[in-house]
Amino acid sequence: MESNRAQDVMTAMVAMFASGDPSDAADFVDVSYLDHQGLGDGPLRGVDGFAFVVRTNFASYQHLDVRIEDLFATGDRVAARISWEGRRTDGEHTVRQTIDILRVVHGRAVEHWGAAV
């Protein structure tokens, strides 16, 4: 059952990136959350750290489409291949994919690792 909840957590977190609205983050992200990837300045922590990444990312786009292409879970881990496509505020059109991994404990994300592919 933990694998199913891990998938739900990943799906909800990706939806927040797509909408730019992290208002439900506390339902899916633990206060002890550690984002190892951060924004290039080192790791970010907690619900506020996650919300900051969502808002910062979304604010840099005029339009953004984010979707899960593949989703795999086992135990307390979930991995997703995510497609990102949008037009940045400077007019540049971008297309990229990432691989993101979450560790989920008691129904909330406690760790995140990510890499562009």
Side-chain angles (χ1 to χ4, degrees), residues 1-7 73 75-77 104-108:
M1 254 342 190
E2 190 70 25
S3 293
N4 290 337
R5 177 60 183 172
Q7 289 179 341
D76 67 350
R77 306 291 167 117
V104 176
V105 176
H106 302 299
R108 287 187 170 78

Side-chain angles (χ1 to χ4, degrees), residues 54-72:
V54 169
R55 287 187 190 107
T56 300
N57 183 71
F58 196 79
S60 65
Y61 287 89
Q62 295 173 3
H63 169 76
L64 179 62
D65 178 40
V66 184
R67 65 188 173 281
I68 295 174
E69 302 293 348
D70 295 300
L71 185 65
F72 306 93

Side-chain angles (χ1 to χ4, degrees), residues 23-34:
S23 59
D24 292 333
D27 294 339
F28 300 96
V29 177
D30 195 77
V31 295
S32 68
Y33 178 74
L34 175 58

